[in-house]
Amino acid sequence: VDLDTAKQELEEFIPHVRNISDSSIRKMAGRDLARFKRFKKQGIAVKFGRFSEKENNQIRKNVEEFLSITGIDSAEKLLFTSRYPEHKETISRLKAEHLFCEKLSEGIPRPWRLIYYRARKIFDPNNYKGRYTKEEKEKLKKYHALHGNDWKKISEMMSRSNLSVAMKYSEIKSAINYGPWSKEETQKLMHAVEEVIRKRMDMEDANSLSSSEKNRDLLIEREKLYQKLPWTEIEAKVGTRYWRQCKQKWTTILTNKMTKGQQLYRGTKGLQAKINLIKRLYEMKAEDANEVNWEELSNTIGDVPRAYVQAKFYKLKVSCVPFWQKKTFSEIIDYLFEEKLPELEEKL
DNA sequence: GTAAAAGGTAAGGGTAATGCACTTTT
DNA sequence: CAAAAGTGCATTACCCTTACCTTTTA
């Protein structure tokens, strides 16, 4: 297959295809293009981002079915065949015979490889091990000193997934501060953010030579504050904090700036905000949390960053909805709308 | 005045996506 | 042999849940 044609055809399904490396495109051209076309005929669009609960369940179903067809006795053997060298040959043969790749990705409009990785996360016994204890962190540092970035090895030694240990190490490798931010740290963070936004604006101005209009330098527009920021770069500039801490701190700073310090989630205002939030969510009719347009929602509570609304929604869910962990997203929204909303309106 | 409900801030596990390399199949 | 399919792993940027307090409310 000619690469350019493949690119062109894929573009319909994967808009950012031009930024993807040739090797990755070749892979997708092979298996996924045909699948994507089939989905299109059924009117189903290719999806990105977090898998919905429905998709996760479909994966579970597909795996179970495949296991029962082939008689392989565990998902781990199927998805981590290399952990079972003595069974490798049999399993590989069964996979090929019964079209493993096709079966696994059945009914899920995504690139097969991503479905495969999702399945591996779901069924890896080393995943979902919860918080690291102090001892584990020490161990991790020690193992890294011994083996470097050989996460596979370290992961085996710690009974945690490759991803988990790699991530955790990157967080704890250099000493960072914990606890409340000092004045200096906060200042540093604000300067760092300002700097990267400035830089970006300069670049834009250089690109669009239509500097005819304004010197907007003085005023940093709202969206600029929201938009994606290069957090690792900011981490380096702040020096004492991990990027995740920086990002989180920035949203609280932003929230304060935008609300000018008034607490809009307290008292009557808070009630009204909750009511609006529930109503809007209900109207949206989203089946899964990742279908929600939080950006738009944030306007219903007030002028706040989206992360703020997401956090508020989470609190609401946890504190009001019994067994929320067992419920689907739409069930949660329905519950809030039917049970909690009247109660809140009463109080108003 | 007090317990509990609600709020705020920070911590932290887990996630999707992708490049590259190696192995097996066609 | 070359190309394609199948697999594994490191790396990056980010989402969502939870822990732990302080403040407010009933």
Side-chain angles (χ1 to χ4, degrees):
Chain A
V1 191
D2 155 52
L3 194 67
D4 284 330
T5 333
K7 247 186 221 179
Q8 207 162 19
E9 289 195 60
L10 274 170
E11 192 157 25
E12 183 186 348
F13 305 101
I14 301 176
H16 62 287
V17 77
R18 302 273 158 196
N19 304 330
I20 295 176
S21 75
D22 289 354
S23 67
S24 294
I25 287 178
R26 249 185 270 271
K27 298 284 184 185
M28 280 196 284
R31 181 181 304 279
D32 294 321
L33 196 49
R35 293 180 57 242
F36 290 167
K37 284 179 180 167
R38 257 178 278 138
F39 280 116
K40 188 189 166 191
K41 264 192 194 140
Q42 301 169 53
I44 302 172
V46 174
K47 292 189 39 169
F48 305 93
R50 293 178 95 83
F51 280 63
S52 66
E53 225 9 68
K54 216 165 143 192
E55 289 175 302
N56 287 330
N57 288 332
Q58 181 73 44
I59 289 178
R60 291 193 188 98
K61 198 178 121 205
N62 291 350
V63 167
E64 258 162 55
E65 258 165 38
F66 194 81
L67 290 178
S68 75
I69 289 172
T70 56
I72 296 173
D73 60 9
S74 79
E76 192 186 2
K77 279 188 188 164
L78 178 64
L79 296 163
F80 297 89
T81 311
S82 60
R83 290 181 190 169
Y84 298 87
E86 68 277 27
H87 297 126
K88 189 168 179 258
E89 222 166 298
T90 337
I91 295 173
S92 297
R93 187 175 47 77
L94 284 169
K95 277 184 179 172
E97 253 170 44
H98 294 92
L99 307 174
F100 169 66
C101 303
E102 259 164 66
K103 293 278 169 60
L104 180 73
S105 57
E106 208 162 275
I108 305 173
R110 296 187 186 246
W112 116 263
R113 196 178 166 210
L114 294 180
I115 301 171
Y116 177 62
Y117 284 140
R118 181 77 197 108
R120 284 172 52 115
K121 280 175 193 138
I122 293 174
F123 288 103
D124 185 351
N126 285 334
N127 205 6
Y128 309 107
K129 290 286 189 88
R131 300 203 159 207
Y132 280 68
T133 62
K134 260 211 177 78
E135 293 75 39
E136 274 185 299
K137 286 184 214 168
E138 290 312 308
K139 253 208 274 185
L140 179 53
K141 280 187 187 167
K142 208 175 72 192
Y143 290 155
H144 184 267
L146 286 171
H147 305 294
N149 291 12
D150 190 348
W151 304 121
K152 194 192 168 202
K153 187 170 207 162
I154 296 174
S155 128
E156 279 160 17
M157 296 169 86
M158 305 211 30
S159 299
R160 293 234 183 209
S161 75
N162 295 9
L163 271 168
S164 176
V165 288
M167 302 274 66
K168 192 67 197 172
Y169 184 75
S170 96
E171 182 193 332
I172 61 176
K173 64 184 169 195
S174 47
I176 51 172
N177 289 342
Y178 291 95
W181 286 59
S182 69
K183 267 244 159 58
E184 292 76 38
E185 281 181 307
T186 311
Q187 280 302 317
K188 263 191 188 168
L189 172 63
M190 289 170 72
H191 283 143
V193 171
E194 196 189 320
E195 213 175 303
V196 296
I197 292 178
R198 270 270 140 68
K199 205 169 77 188
R200 188 174 292 178
M201 283 167 69
D202 287 348
M203 293 248 294
E204 268 170 36
D205 283 348
N207 284 342
S208 63
L209 289 168
S210 63
S211 55
S212 50
E213 304 124 69
K214 62 255 160 168
N215 56 336
R216 57 187 179 184
D217 258 293
L218 295 174
L219 196 110
I220 294 173
E221 299 139 67
R222 244 187 65 184
E223 302 101 60
K224 296 273 192 255
L225 298 171
Y226 272 152
Q227 72 186 195
K228 287 176 199 232
L229 297 172
W231 288 110
T232 46
E233 204 182 314
I234 293 171
E235 169 186 308
K237 285 186 174 141
V238 173
T240 51
R241 297 280 179 160
Y242 190 51
W243 69 266
R244 215 165 44 188
Q245 294 170 298
C246 297
K247 186 176 179 204
Q248 202 160 244
K249 184 64 185 173
W250 176 241
T251 63
T252 69
I253 293 175
L254 244 194
T255 308
N256 279 328
K257 273 190 191 293
M258 291 167 83
T259 60
K260 301 188 186 68
Q262 36 175 323
Q263 298 176 311
L264 38 86
Y265 218 67
R266 284 251 146 106
T268 324
K269 260 188 165 170
L271 276 177
Q272 192 61 58
K274 281 179 190 165
I275 289 169
N276 293 345
L277 183 61
I278 295 174
K279 278 189 182 159
R280 269 314 279 134
L281 277 167
Y282 187 77
E283 285 163 21
M284 280 182 171
K285 291 266 173 261
E287 284 196 19
D288 212 89
N290 46 38
E291 288 171 20
V292 175
N293 182 351
W294 297 101
E295 219 69 65
E296 185 202 318
L297 251 184
S298 67
N299 296 325
T300 71
I301 309 199
D303 201 12
V304 289
R306 63 172 261 175
Y308 183 78
V309 197
Q310 282 173 301
K312 286 305 156 201
F313 171 69
Y314 177 76
K315 280 250 156 164
L316 200 58
K317 172 173 81 177
V318 173
S319 56
C320 304
V321 185
F323 310 113
W324 61 272
Q325 289 173 87
K326 299 228 183 293
K327 290 188 163 89
T328 66
F329 184 74
S330 42
E331 280 167 354
I332 289 170
I333 301 297
D334 287 348
Y335 181 92
L336 284 172
F337 188 79
E338 281 152 25
E339 309 292 326
K340 195 67 191 174
L341 191 60
E343 194 185 308
L344 291 171
E345 280 174 331
E346 182 107 357
K347 276 201 222 162
L348 197 63

